[in-house]
Amino acid sequence: MSKLKVAELFYSIQGEGRYMGVPSVFLRVFGCNFKCAGFGMPQGELSEETDDIANIVHMFNDYKELPLVSTGCDSYASWDPRFKHLSPVIDTDSVALAIVDTLPHKEWRDEHLVITGGEPLLGWQRAYPDLLEHPVMAGLKEITFETNGTQRLSDEFKSYLFKWAKKSKREITFSVSAKLPCSGERWEDAIRPDIVGQYEWFGTAYLKFVVATEQDLKDAERAVEEYRRAGFTGHVYVMPVGGVERVYTLNNRAVAEMAMRKGWRYSDRLQVPLFKNEWGT
Ligand code: SF4
């Protein structure tokens, strides 16, 4: 039986992108190929906020007790090896049962499953078929993979997704949060139109850029041009930076105005005003 290293599993409202407002189960798996330490930092500087937390990690017994950060990756504990002991390895049968147990009626009705991370399309692709084939997952109709758009789908996983999506009224979405230079990641590593085009074969794929400044908007325009040149047809969203309310409220309106100017979609981060972006929301 396959296993997953699970950072978080919770039921909430999807706060971002296409399914904003939809009750959703979030399965956050461990591991990422990026660090995104540039978020919220002056250009060229990298956040060291998580180093301070790592120094006192022995004080935390549970992922939910960890402090929130205002710079760098706001889900740092889902990939930083210094926090890996807080993410247990669990067999897919147990994960499937735990997922359904979070639902209000203990069965799928109109809820949606979000598989997120970290980067959920790293090696875990091999475990998802076992998870999704568990009998308690039969009523699930909609899945979103929240990805940074840098991971190719394996041939085995592609065949599985085709089969899964063919069953009636099932829908797969790839929410591609491609990382601009403000993340601190290198352009050539983060902007991968050759890979993202592949996601459109299975359903809906869209781009979602975290922006704060006019420079970020210019970078997003350049990235969109590259994706379009490669044949990508999906929607484009821009979303304000800000894992904490004080940062988010500084730039959400400006980002909405940027979206209107460009004719792109605005994505909120509803989990910030609704739930203060606490772990488990
Ligand atoms: S890609 Fe996402 S999970 Fe990975 S470091 Fe960047 S923001 Fe964090």
Side-chain angles (χ1 to χ4, degrees), residues 32-36 39 73-75 78-79 117-119 148 179:
C32 190
N33 53 324
F34 286 160
K35 294 195 167 116
C36 297
F39 277 137
C73 169
D74 63 359
S75 43
S78 68
W79 55 265
E119 171 45 55
N148 60 27
K179 300 300 179 245

